[in-house]
Amino acid sequence: MGKTSLIKQFVEGIFSEKYLTSIGVKVDKKIVSGGYTPVQLLLWDLEGVDRYTGFNPRYLRGCSGIIFVADTSRFASIPEVMELHDLASEHTDAPSILAINKSDLAPSINWCEDTVSKHTACFKKTFRTSAKTGSQVNAMFEAMSQIVTME
Amino acid sequence: MHASLIQTLGLINCAVFQRQEDQRFTLLEGNHDWLKPLFEYEITVDTYTLEDKSIFLDDFMIDAVDFWENSKAKKSCNDNQIKSGIWTEITDGGELYLEAIAAIIDRQQILVINNVAEYYSQQKETLQIARELLISNDEIVERHDYLSERIRSILIETAQSGLGLPLHQAIKHADIGVIITNENVESLEINPAARDIFDCSKSKSEKNILVIIESLIKRQHHNTSEIFNHPNPWSGELYWHAPPTPQKWLKLNINPVFNDVGKVSYWIFTISDITRIKYLLQTNEDLALHDPLTGLPNRQYFWQELQKQIKKRQAVTLLSIDIVNFRSVNELYGYLDGDELLNQMVKRTSAILTNGDFMTRVGADEFMILRRRPKGSNENEYEQSILRLSDEIVSMSKQALFTKSDRKCVLPVKIGVSHFPLNAINAEELISCADLALASAKKSMSKDIVVYSEKLKQASQRRLFLENALKNAIEQNQLEVFLQPIFDIESKEVIKAEALLRWHLNGETISPVEFIPIAERSDLINTIGRWVFATVCDIQVRLSEQGVKLPITVNFSPKQIYDLHLINFFRHQIEEHHIDPDLLELEVTEGVLINNYNKVKLFLEEIKDTGIHISVDDFGTGYCSLSYLKHLPIDTLKIDRSFIEDIDDNEDDRAIVNAIIAMAHSLNLSVIAEGVETQAQQQYLIDHKCHIAQGFMYGRPMPVTDFIANIQNNNQHQGKH
Ligand SMILES: Nc1nc2c(ncn2[C@@H]2O[C@H](COP(=O)(O)OP(=O)(O)O)[C@@H](O)[C@H]2O)c(=O)[nH]1
Ligand SMILES: [Mg+2]
């Protein structure tokens, strides 16, 4: 999906093609000073939820916002994200953003924009990001910092 | 204690902290170098706060503190720890891979920080491959879809001119096999990749490939007519084995192409060889979803499987299995042997499972077996089969196993059983029912297998209710000390009394047999134990005001040994009440003596120093030997009531009673028979030189006021004679 890549692009300005799976949680910090007052974001990069690793609601406690990451090149990532969104909303009211990542790639042949737009209402905002080119990455994290300071 | 905790959790490279009352922490164990950068090299100080060292840890601490401070109130008794999950901590010494565990052990609040570097890298390696495979699987799906779509659009564009050059070029160099057929599924085009997959040289009939595919679908999925008569896209995996070609796993997509009037004009088959992915996926799945020690499915896998069954509304039965006292096996034989024994135990058990049973290792020495109830099976027969399975597992577990060094060991198990949907509506509930049944089996002396029932749940609810109510029992004056006379048969005088606790709750009188075990599970036993002692001191004051001088014995719970300042409390009470410690006696059970010899010996000696006497209660039920008793400062043995009960017609019991009396005489201890109810029993005791007795014959436990009245009566009576 590109969760780790998005954070890396945002915090360090680096992108790597090589896929390195995440294990557990890694916390990064970055100060965002786009708004009136600088906000320190504590970014929790979670291991993806799949057949090998379950969903752990403990990580949601105390969170101020959630970024759900989907993948342009894999339409199945949309229903997957929605399932996670529903799971998460059982545990937190934190506002969320949808990042449809890998916007540098051609969309999946199955991509269905109508379905996507049906779901975007569940999120405060939706961004088409690319961790590779950096497109919309800062914009998305800045939007997140604004959303969490407003809440 | 920590050693055993660490053993139980299988932790090696960890730091163990104890949380103090001031909420600071002391490091009990594991002053590792890797800790230092995390704690900014503060590790030399005695106590420190763990705040602000790690964002992740700070967050976990909120849960941990809640767990430490409130877990007593929580229902579940097997939740004695919570885990943070793995996290990566970036320090100036590099990345650390850690997991935190909050636990309560021996009533102490313990935080473990576990360095899981090894597990992390192993897990990372396994999951890296597994997830890469998932990704490549997704990519293949995507490529099939892409190619089909491309072919479809070419076919539609060139509908008038028939199959031509553009199409040919599009599929010639594709690395996915393509077959295009007409509406009757007769092959029109086959690309080289498709030929390669089926190992066909050009000469082989193209029709042949389609025949193979159709027959594979027919055998492994369903009737092909269902696919071709209802023109929907179809996709699936096929297993193809035609020696000498090595076996292959194939991914096949079939897509219809419709003409202007909505009729199928072509079928597009796309095929790829996924053998490698399939194989790697399988081996990795084995690694990711199995317990490395026993090879059994792990908790995660089990959970998935259980949920799958429940989602299908499949009736299942869960056996929750626990090895009795496995901890001590590890302590006795060491880890490697412990592991070896576990492995043998698993092998032995798996051998009696039937196809479709699912066994998993959920904890160090905890296992679960999931059995599906066969469709249409007779309920009775099915239940019998479950009982047979449980019985077999239990009886097999009592047969000895041998370590590599040929040391003999027995790993007896206890089993709790629950049924879905009979007992539970979801997976969590089903597991907790099985665990509740298991807990009850573990507590029972006689039963190894307990099947969950409503009654069990009610009993556990009652326990919880009582546990809560007990907290306020003292404050609300619900506890009362009764006295039961201990009688000298020869002089016909009451020479002692035993203090027995009663709990009056909403008009019901609850027996200590029921509530003392509940109190023992928490700190309450200490409070209650102290309260009883103080109350008995009060009673002594009352008695002496009446001119009665009579020793009173107080029961002592094994758990009170851990009440550190208990002896000081005793001394203080004795002084405050100005009573003669000669008039006080503690009754300890035989079990206490055996389990903790050294600690108990010290403790009893300290008690003796205060002047309080000591008797051994329920004697004969444990296995105390003469030589053992000789070195303990004991005054009296009390023969357990169960031996007296059957003394008239059970020869073994008579032999035991005689032996105890002889033992007492030879050690110069006095001996008391408990539970004497009949003339015959009394006569037997007189004949065998035991003349002190307690039992309904001489008086039931009664309120102190009645007791005093009785004694005064009795004394007057005696005086008259
Ligand atoms: N082309 C492209 N690839 C990306 C992008 N973001 C991530 N990737 C790649 O996708 C793979 C998974 O990325 P990762 O950040 O590890 O995903 P995570 O599992 O969600 O954390 C890696 O191989 C990345 O290089 C993107 O925006 N564009
Ligand atoms: Mg990641």
Side-chain angles (χ1 to χ4, degrees):
Chain A
M1 307 280 180
K3 300 181 288 298
T4 305
S5 301
L6 282 168
I7 292 182
K8 216 169 174 81
Q9 175 63 266
F10 177 56
V11 176
E12 300 173 47
I14 308 175
F15 173 77
S16 153
E17 290 282 352
K18 192 166 161 39
Y19 167 61
L20 286 175
T21 185
S22 308
I23 304 287
V25 178
K26 189 170 171 184
V27 185
D28 265 298
K29 288 183 234 179
K30 165 121 181 178
I31 294 175
V32 179
S33 33
Y36 295 117
T37 42
V39 184
Q40 163 149 279
L41 289 183
L42 300 176
L43 303 162
W44 287 46
D45 182 16
L46 308 185
E47 181 175 346
V49 176
D50 61 11
R51 61 204 295 185
Y52 304 113
T53 305
F55 169 77
N56 188 346
R58 187 191 300 289
Y59 300 142
L60 294 181
R61 202 196 20 69
C63 87
S64 327
I66 310 174
I67 298 172
F68 290 94
V69 183
D71 182 340
T72 315
S73 68
R74 224 166 50 80
F75 186 65
S77 66
I78 294 288
E80 283 167 19
V81 153
M82 290 319 296
E83 196 179 328
L84 271 182
H85 173 274
D86 293 348
L87 267 176
S89 57
E90 284 173 23
H91 299 274
T92 177
D93 295 328
S96 58
I97 283 182
L98 174 62
I100 302 177
N101 190 42
K102 304 198 189 178
S103 63
D104 55 289
L105 298 178
S108 156
I109 194 101
N110 301 317
W111 195 266
C112 170
E113 198 57 39
D114 284 352
T115 314
V116 176
S117 54
K118 247 185 263 156
H119 293 308
T120 48
C122 299
F123 304 91
K124 287 266 150 146
K125 278 191 163 154
T126 300
F127 288 86
R128 315 276 166 156
T129 59
S130 167
K132 185 170 178 177
T133 65
S135 159
Q136 289 288 308
V137 175
N138 284 341
M140 176 191 66
F141 282 107
E142 267 157 28
M144 184 46 105
S145 67
Q146 265 174 25
I147 289 169
V148 300
T149 42
M150 307 243 291
E151 291 274 319
Chain B
M1 145 197 111
H2 314 305
S4 59
L5 159 77
I6 293 164
Q7 287 203 349
T8 323
L9 301 174
L11 308 179
I12 302 162
N13 195 4
C14 67
V16 180
F17 296 88
Q18 180 179 353
R19 184 168 181 249
Q20 307 295 329
E21 270 160 23
D22 62 2
Q23 292 167 24
R24 294 172 68 85
F25 289 81
T26 40
L27 179 67
L28 296 179
E29 237 181 71
N31 193 352
H32 298 285
D33 282 344
W34 53 260
L35 268 184
K36 290 177 185 151
L38 183 61
F39 293 106
E40 290 144 13
Y41 303 93
E42 253 177 53
I43 213 83
T44 43
V45 296
D46 288 341
T47 67
Y48 32 96
T49 59
L50 294 179
E51 272 163 45
D52 290 339
K53 306 290 190 263
S54 152
I55 292 164
F56 184 90
L57 190 59
D58 284 349
D59 183 82
F60 175 65
M61 284 306 218
I62 300 171
D63 286 346
V65 167
D66 179 56
F67 167 78
W68 286 321
E69 292 177 355
N70 302 322
S71 73
K72 263 180 241 148
K74 280 191 195 137
K75 317 289 166 229
S76 122
C77 43
N78 39 6
D79 272 2
N80 52 6
Q81 50 163 282
I82 56 167
K83 294 188 176 187
S84 71
I86 296 176
W87 89 95
T88 304
E89 189 66 44
I90 303 157
T91 70
D92 53 10
E95 288 192 345
L96 287 173
Y97 307 112
L98 305 172
E99 181 172 44
I101 302 168
I104 297 180
I105 297 155
D106 290 346
R107 290 189 226 107
Q108 300 182 26
Q109 302 177 348
I110 300 290
L111 179 78
V112 179
I113 296 186
N114 192 10
N115 186 327
V116 293
E118 207 160 300
Y119 174 77
Y120 179 92
S121 64
Q122 175 206 325
Q123 192 73 359
K124 181 150 183 155
E125 204 171 306
T126 316
L127 287 182
Q128 177 76 35
I129 302 171
R131 288 185 170 136
E132 274 174 9
L133 289 166
L134 285 185
I135 291 172
S136 47
N137 203 33
D138 286 343
E139 275 170 13
I140 291 179
V141 171
E142 192 74 25
R143 272 168 47 212
H144 272 255
D145 291 350
Y146 180 78
L147 191 61
S148 280
E149 187 51 35
R150 184 119 179 262
I151 296 167
R152 198 181 63 89
S153 58
I154 295 176
L155 286 173
I156 290 173
E157 266 170 37
T158 58
Q160 265 69 46
S161 54
L163 301 184
L165 198 62
L167 180 82
H168 219 77
Q169 267 167 348
I171 65 175
K172 190 171 163 199
H173 296 294
D175 54 359
I176 291 179
V178 179
I179 303 171
I180 299 167
T181 75
N182 63 13
E183 68 270 35
N184 300 321
V185 203
E186 289 156 357
S187 136
L188 301 174
E189 278 280 351
I190 283 196
N191 76 344
R195 274 184 236 281
D196 283 350
I197 288 172
F198 288 96
D199 217 18
C200 286
S201 55
K202 261 232 139 75
S203 61
K204 259 198 196 169
S205 156
E206 294 185 340
K207 241 173 105 184
N208 207 359
I209 295 182
L210 267 183
V211 171
I212 297 173
I213 292 176
E214 283 185 56
S215 80
L216 290 180
I217 296 175
K218 212 174 271 174
R219 256 185 289 143
Q220 296 169 24
H221 294 274
H222 41 72
N223 219 322
T224 41
S225 61
E226 278 178 41
I227 300 175
F228 298 110
N229 292 343
H230 310 274
N232 281 319
W234 184 87
S235 104
E237 288 175 1
L238 301 175
Y239 174 73
W240 182 56
H241 192 199
T245 312
Q247 53 193 10
K248 280 182 183 171
W249 277 98
L250 305 176
K251 176 175 172 54
L252 171 68
N253 278 17
I254 304 176
N255 284 296
V257 180
F258 300 97
N259 61 15
D260 299 344
V261 291
K263 290 203 108 160
V264 176
S265 49
Y266 300 103
W267 291 95
I268 306 170
F269 289 61
T270 51
I271 313 157
S272 47
D273 182 345
I274 53 164
T275 312
R276 203 185 76 88
I277 291 184
K278 193 90 181 164
Y279 171 74
L280 286 175
L281 209 58
Q282 228 158 33
T283 40
N284 269 282
E285 216 132 84
D286 280 355
L287 286 175
L289 294 176
H290 288 80
D291 166 43
L293 174 66
T294 59
L296 290 175
N298 63 16
R299 188 191 279 267
Q300 169 89 9
Y301 190 4
F302 182 75
W303 180 248
Q304 281 176 13
E305 181 65 22
L306 179 59
Q307 292 217 305
K308 202 167 86 193
Q309 299 301 336
I310 283 181
K311 218 172 187 170
K312 284 198 299 193
R313 306 287 310 157
Q314 161 74 44
V316 293
T317 300
L318 201 61
L319 271 60
S320 181
I321 305 173
D322 186 272
I323 301 179
V324 180
N325 242 333
F326 186 70
R327 196 184 271 216
S328 68
V329 171
N330 260 343
E331 280 162 10
L332 211 61
Y333 296 83
Y335 252 140
L336 291 178
D337 277 350
D339 282 357
E340 165 67 19
L341 290 167
L342 270 184
N343 251 330
Q344 291 184 25
M345 179 264 175
V346 166
K347 258 197 211 119
R348 194 164 68 173
T349 312
S350 315
I352 59 166
L353 297 182
T354 48
N355 222 343
D357 288 347
F358 201 96
M359 179 168 174
T360 184
R361 182 171 178 218
V362 286
D365 59 345
E366 294 158 0
F367 298 85
M368 285 199 179
I369 293 174
L370 180 67
R371 171 168 283 189
R372 278 174 296 185
R373 178 172 164 188
K375 289 252 149 42
S377 61
N378 172 302
E379 187 171 330
N380 238 330
E381 269 169 28
Y382 175 69
E383 267 169 26
Q384 287 304 316
S385 84
I386 293 292
L387 286 183
R388 270 200 309 278
L389 175 66
S390 314
D391 273 338
E392 210 174 336
I393 294 173
V394 165
S395 62
M396 204 159 65
S397 76
K398 290 179 177 160
Q399 291 160 19
L401 293 168
F402 294 89
T403 65
K404 284 222 170 83
S405 48
D406 224 24
R407 290 211 283 172
K408 188 174 160 176
C409 178
V410 182
L411 300 183
V413 299
K414 297 266 185 175
I415 302 182
V417 181
S418 65
H419 296 285
F420 171 83
L422 184 67
N423 304 140
I425 54 164
N426 58 32
E428 285 98 336
E429 212 185 325
L430 186 66
I431 291 180
S432 82
C433 288
D435 282 345
L436 191 61
L438 176 63
S440 151
K442 277 158 92 171
K443 252 185 278 160
S444 160
M445 302 284 265
S446 56
K447 279 194 266 179
D448 295 325
I449 302 162
V450 171
V451 180
Y452 175 85
S453 65
E454 226 13 62
K455 231 167 84 192
L456 211 59
K457 185 160 138 198
Q458 279 158 10
S460 112
Q461 278 166 349
R462 176 166 164 92
R463 268 199 307 280
L464 282 173
F465 165 73
L466 290 181
E467 191 174 330
N468 269 324
L470 196 54
K471 286 179 196 142
N472 308 318
I474 292 179
E475 254 169 55
Q476 308 206 344
N477 270 328
Q478 292 165 344
L479 294 184
E480 185 181 1
V481 168
F482 276 31
L483 293 177
Q484 184 178 28
I486 296 174
F487 198 72
D488 184 329
I489 307 172
E490 281 180 341
S491 69
K492 299 202 166 44
E493 268 179 58
V494 175
I495 56 156
K496 236 197 235 187
E498 178 174 357
L500 292 162
L501 196 51
R502 292 291 179 268
W503 178 17
H504 308 290
L505 180 65
N506 310 332
E508 183 187 9
T509 299
I510 296 157
S511 146
V513 178
E514 186 175 8
F515 74 83
I516 292 297
I518 293 172
E520 282 176 339
R521 287 204 312 199
S522 62
D523 288 340
L524 273 174
I525 190 64
N526 293 333
T527 317
I528 292 177
R530 287 177 176 218
W531 179 86
V532 172
F533 189 86
T535 308
V536 166
C537 290
D538 289 340
I539 295 173
Q540 280 298 8
V541 171
R542 264 173 85 183
L543 287 179
S544 75
E545 281 164 9
Q546 307 283 331
V548 180
K549 205 172 171 210
L550 195 73
I552 301 181
T553 69
V554 179
N555 286 286
F556 177 81
S557 156
K559 294 275 153 58
Q560 286 178 273
I561 288 195
Y562 302 104
D563 184 351
L564 293 178
H565 306 293
L566 185 63
I567 298 198
N568 278 339
F569 176 83
F570 286 170
R571 283 185 203 278
H572 187 75
Q573 289 294 321
I574 292 169
E575 273 167 33
E576 198 168 71
H577 287 82
H578 305 293
I579 41 178
D580 183 356
D582 245 357
L583 295 177
L584 295 169
E585 186 167 319
L586 280 195
E587 292 193 11
V588 300
T589 55
E590 196 184 1
V592 178
L593 303 184
I594 320 173
N595 290 334
N596 277 305
Y597 184 76
N598 289 324
K599 187 155 192 174
V600 168
K601 185 161 185 266
L602 265 174
F603 180 83
L604 294 184
E605 277 160 2
E606 277 187 76
I607 292 281
K608 271 314 255 201
D609 278 349
T610 63
I612 299 174
H613 293 260
I614 296 164
S615 57
V616 183
D617 206 1
D618 302 339
F619 195 78
T621 51
Y623 301 93
C624 263
S625 67
L626 190 68
S627 59
Y628 205 92
L629 285 179
K630 216 158 54 185
H631 301 290
L632 294 174
I634 292 167
D635 304 285
T636 306
L637 299 183
K638 296 185 82 175
I639 307 173
D640 190 66
R641 66 177 63 243
S642 61
F643 302 113
I644 304 296
E645 201 170 36
D646 292 337
I647 211 164
D648 299 334
D649 37 40
N650 187 324
E651 196 154 329
D652 292 344
D653 286 352
R654 280 201 293 272
I656 292 172
V657 169
N658 295 350
I660 296 175
I661 296 172
M663 199 192 262
H665 289 329
S666 82
L667 290 174
N668 242 333
L669 306 178
S670 65
V671 58
I672 301 176
E674 287 180 281
V676 179
E677 294 180 3
T678 69
Q679 205 65 45
Q681 289 165 347
Q682 174 171 305
Q683 194 54 48
Y684 185 91
L685 293 169
I686 295 171
D687 294 346
H688 290 83
K689 302 204 171 57
C690 170
H691 59 93
I692 304 177
Q694 181 179 355
F696 290 175
M697 249 195 106
Y698 317 103
R700 291 171 181 265
M702 56 193 106
V704 176
T705 321
D706 297 357
F707 183 86
I708 294 176
N710 260 6
I711 278 220
Q712 283 170 340
N713 237 332
N714 189 296
N715 286 351
Q716 278 170 15
H717 219 66
Q718 293 279 314
K720 272 181 203 162
H721 278 271

